[in-house]
Every structure is written in C-alpha cells, then in structure tokens.
Amino acid sequence: MCTLSLSVTYLCYSLLGGSGSLQFPLALQESPGAAAEPPPSPPPPSLLPPPVRLGAPSQPPASPPLDNASRGEPPEPPEQPAAPGTDGWGLPSGGGGARDAWLRTPLVPSEMITAQSALPEREAQESSTTDEDLAGRRAANGSSERGGAVSTPDYGEKKLPQALIIGVKKGGTRALLEAIRVHPDVRAVGVEPHFFDRNYEKGLEWYRNVMPKTLDGQITMEKTPSYFVTNEAPKRIHSMAKDIKLIVVVRNPVTRAISDYTQTLSKKPEIPTFEVLAFKNRTLGLIDASWSAIRIGIYALHLENWLQYFPLSQILFVSGERLIVDPAGEMAKVQDFLGLKRVVTEKHFYFNKTKGFPCLKKPEDSSAPRCLGKSKGRTHPRIDPDVIHRLRKFYKPFNMMFYQMTGQDFQWEQEEGDK
C-alpha cells in the first residue's frame, strides 16, 4: 500500500493503473504533518498521469485523441504544461451568507460600480510577453500600479518580487491581485510577466525592470497562474529567492475545468464540446488527463513539484469559492501571510448582482472602476450530468491527497454533494 512517505507521482500512477478503479489508499488517514516533508526524490521530467479509466475493462480508444489545434489551444512545447492566462472571480452566482448580506446592504450612488463601467478585458496572452507589450500596457494603465488609486510619484527603486501569485488559472488570481493592490504597502505589476515559464532566458534584470518602483517597507508582487503547472518554475524561483512567499488560489477542479473551457470557447467557438475533449473514449469512460483543462486541476501532482524546493510555511492556499462568499475573510489571511496590516477589509467590497461576484468599491479619489471585466463571470455551457459525475470521481482521490498535503479541507466533495 502507498504511504505518504512515497512521492505523489508514484501514488498517482498506482491510482491510475491496475484494475483502473479509483480506490484511494488508507494512507490518507495519516496526520497532515507527514505531507509537509518533501518527497525523497525529484519527480520524473513529465508528471502527466496516464488516461484514467472509469468503469468497463480497458481497451484502446475508439478514435484517436484530439490534438491542441482541435481543442482551440496553441501547440505546447515538449513536456511543458500549456501556459494558462489570467482568471478571476468568474464563479457561478447563488449561495447565501455573506453574499445575501451584501445584497441587502444598499450602497450610496458614489460607491456603485456597474458592470457597464467594468475594467477592460484582461485575457491571457497567446504568445510570450514582450518588452514592448509590457511597456505599452503599463502606459495604458497610467502611472499608478495600484489599479485605480491616485498616481504614485515616480520614485523608489525596482526590486525583484518578495511574493508571487503562482496559480491557478480560472481560480481567482486576477480578483486576488486587484484586491491586494488596494493595500498601500503592496505594489504589483498588472500584466503577467511569464518570466519563469516563457521569458526566463531574458534574465533577472529584465524581470526586475518589469516590476514597479517601491519604497522601503513596500512589497513587490506579480501573478502568473501558469507557474504552478510549469515543471521548471519552482527551481527557478528558488534560485532567485529561497524565502519568497507563494500564493495559490485553488478552486473545485471540475468547475475550474468548465470555466477554462468556457474561456477558450468564447475565443474559438468552433472547438469540440466539453464532453468530447474531456474523454479519450466516452463510452469506456477514459478521462483525457492530457487535456490542460483537466490536468491543471490535479493539484496534488503539481504541488509535489513545489514541495521539492519550498516548505508549506512559505505557501498560502486561497479558496476561490471563499474569495466570492467572504472576500474580506480570505484577504485577511493573505495580508497576515504577507506580514501586512489588515487594511483591505469588508468596507472595500460589495456584491455586484449583475455580474454575480464581489467587486471593490470605487476609491474616493478616483473615478476608475474596480469591478472585473466582461471576461469574468461568463455563463458556463450546460454539461451532461454524467460527465460531471465522472469528473468528480476522477478528481476525488487527488483532492483528498491535496487536502492531506496542505492540511486544509476545501470541501469540494461536500459542495457537489458527492460524498
């Protein structure tokens, strides 16, 4: 039987092999502390698990798998995960609790920010970030790097970041970045530099020049969600700063995959249906774990790579779901993790009924909108319930291992009623 002292890679392969049934080992009943120890050996060059079979005996797929072009995705380099782009609070509306409280709390007209005045769409760049693109976007955003606050004087110095938002795509990283930029002691570049996955050959001086100027006591940050699934990123980041703080925004992997597909579909409406892309063979129930929308959600597999270089004490996991229903609560954790005073609180948020997620209230000293743009909160296409059920079964053992590794229960199975 597998134990937590073995690598997650070995565990994942054992889960996906044999008879093909997803029976999770009893080792998950061990204490969370055991998961904090780094695996004894580095993972193989490719951590991609083989396709998962749910149900009937294994046999070859009835049709060849779709390539990236058929899925509307750019081609991937060998053994490199597809580079995800920006994401935000694009989760379905509904629920209660804090959300209902916001709905009952009227705002004065000066605080209201409508969806029509939302921030321009900030989608992922399909090609590598260039110096010209970074410079142009910074100029378009004005001299303020806090996204709507009054312009900051051009003094201080550019520093390498002390904290990074490293993932995940369609989890809520854009929303988190916009909220933390409200803090006066945080300066963050608005665009995704993609340094540790696409632009590493340009060197640290290029990376430093991308950053905003900061004063003593201010934290420099950036966010690029594709870092979390890039095999080389942990080693590269560790070589730059061993004590850097890392933030990962995670979300129910089934919902995340559908949101990922929805974003691609909005750009390439000719791509196949979600059901076609999610399976190697729909009849046999063979999940296509090579599809990036599925692969990104195997969080335990990717986290193992980071634990080779960083202790859990340097990684904060933010719930994308709680970032919607209780943004102030999640931001309190983020500010504590970064060693900051709790400046971003309940008074900074209101629930936008039109968009279906929280927005930042308009700063008194600026007319700039603070609600995420039209690319966030898209309506998901209807997915066959049987496909949803199969994906939940696929992700459940990986979710359980992720809970054990992090010491946190994100309750994704409870939310979906899959107990």
Side-chain angles (χ1 to χ4, degrees):
M1 178 177 293
C2 300
T3 67
L4 292 181
S5 62
L6 298 178
S7 70
V8 178
T9 305
Y10 176 82
L11 174 60
C12 292
Y13 276 97
S14 66
L15 283 173
L16 307 181
S19 64
S21 62
L22 288 176
Q23 298 297 323
F24 209 70
L26 295 178
L28 287 182
Q29 299 175 10
E30 298 180 12
S31 63
E37 298 179 4
S41 59
S46 174
L47 293 181
L48 178 65
V52 177
R53 170 199 164 308
L54 298 173
S58 176
Q59 52 182 285
S63 58
L66 293 164
D67 57 20
N68 284 347
S70 301
R71 295 171 172 144
E73 301 175 357
E76 299 183 41
E79 299 182 0
Q80 285 283 346
T86 61
D87 46 330
W89 274 320
L91 295 174
S93 59
R99 175 180 305 214
D100 291 340
W102 293 336
L103 291 175
R104 293 193 297 269
T105 304
L107 295 175
V108 298
S110 61
E111 292 181 323
M112 297 292 255
I113 305 172
T114 65
Q116 287 73 26
S117 63
L119 285 173
E121 182 173 351
R122 291 176 175 174
E123 292 291 3
Q125 299 130 318
E126 295 296 333
S127 58
S128 297
T129 306
T130 64
D131 300 279
E132 293 78 8
D133 182 52
L134 286 166
R137 288 198 176 193
R138 285 198 302 269
N141 290 338
S143 59
S144 170
E145 289 289 349
R146 289 202 290 269
V150 72
S151 296
T152 302
D154 190 22
Y155 53 78
E157 62 177 312
K158 295 188 175 186
K159 302 174 184 176
L160 293 171
Q162 297 91 51
L164 296 173
I165 301 173
I166 60 174
V168 298
K169 181 184 180 184
K170 306 309 296 179
T173 60
R174 170 58 61 182
L176 176 61
L177 181 71
E178 293 301 326
I180 197 62
R181 290 169 85 186
V182 172
H183 201 292
D185 291 334
V186 172
R187 301 295 307 284
V189 60
V191 299
E192 297 173 4
H194 284 281
F195 176 66
F196 295 104
D197 58 349
R198 300 180 188 174
N199 294 304
Y200 194 66
E201 73 284 352
K202 295 182 178 178
L204 286 175
E205 278 308 303
W206 178 90
Y207 189 45
R208 188 197 307 271
N209 286 330
V210 169
M211 297 298 123
K213 291 183 178 180
T214 56
L215 303 174
D216 290 342
Q218 289 184 317
I219 294 177
T220 302
M221 291 183 65
E222 69 110 329
K223 77 105 175 172
T224 303
S226 53
Y227 292 162
F228 188 64
V229 297
T230 299
N231 290 339
E232 296 81 6
K235 181 178 181 180
R236 290 171 174 178
I237 294 172
H238 186 266
S239 68
M240 178 190 74
K242 297 178 177 60
D243 59 349
I244 197 167
K245 295 184 177 183
L246 307 170
I247 300 176
V248 186
V249 188
V250 290
R251 177 185 183 187
N252 186 313
V254 176
T255 312
R256 196 222 66 82
I258 297 172
S259 182
D260 197 338
Y261 170 79
T262 303
Q263 175 174 291
T264 303
L265 182 66
S266 70
K267 301 174 184 177
K268 299 179 181 295
E270 72 279 2
I271 64 172
T273 65
F274 182 89
E275 289 84 352
V276 169
L277 296 173
F279 291 93
K280 287 279 189 181
N281 185 293
R282 175 72 183 275
T283 302
L284 301 177
L286 290 169
I287 301 291
D288 189 357
S290 69
W291 183 27
S292 65
I294 300 294
R295 186 179 63 243
I296 290 171
I298 309 175
Y299 302 138
L301 200 63
H302 304 302
L303 179 58
E304 185 200 20
N305 195 24
W306 291 88
L307 294 180
Q308 302 279 343
Y309 299 93
F310 297 99
L312 278 174
S313 60
Q314 284 178 231
I315 308 175
L316 176 69
F317 299 92
V318 175
S319 166
E321 287 83 10
R322 290 196 292 269
L323 201 54
I324 286 181
V325 299
D326 183 20
E330 288 300 290
M331 291 308 302
K333 297 176 186 177
V334 172
Q335 291 169 96
D336 291 347
F337 175 70
L338 296 175
L340 299 170
K341 182 180 178 181
R342 291 187 180 181
V343 171
V344 184
T345 61
E346 295 88 350
K347 66 182 181 181
H348 289 90
F349 300 95
Y350 78 96
F351 186 78
N352 187 300
K353 291 184 288 185
T354 302
K355 297 187 71 65
F357 53 75
C359 297
L360 291 166
K361 292 182 181 179
K362 184 168 61 178
E364 295 179 1
D365 54 2
S366 172
S367 60
R370 303 297 298 123
C371 205
L372 298 183
K374 63 182 180 180
S375 65
K376 310 305 178 184
R378 295 187 182 96
T379 301
H380 291 175
R382 185 186 180 281
I383 307 298
D384 187 331
D386 178 65
V387 173
I388 301 295
H389 177 73
R390 289 178 181 270
L391 283 176
R392 290 177 190 166
K393 293 293 186 183
F394 168 78
Y395 279 120
K396 185 172 183 177
F398 298 109
N399 291 345
M400 297 300 291
M401 174 55 79
F402 184 66
Y403 300 165
Q404 192 74 8
M405 294 172 75
T406 61
Q408 299 180 49
D409 184 353
F410 292 91
Q411 300 183 336
W412 291 321
E413 288 71 31
Q414 180 178 341
E415 289 176 3
E416 300 293 349
D418 183 21
K419 299 179 181 179

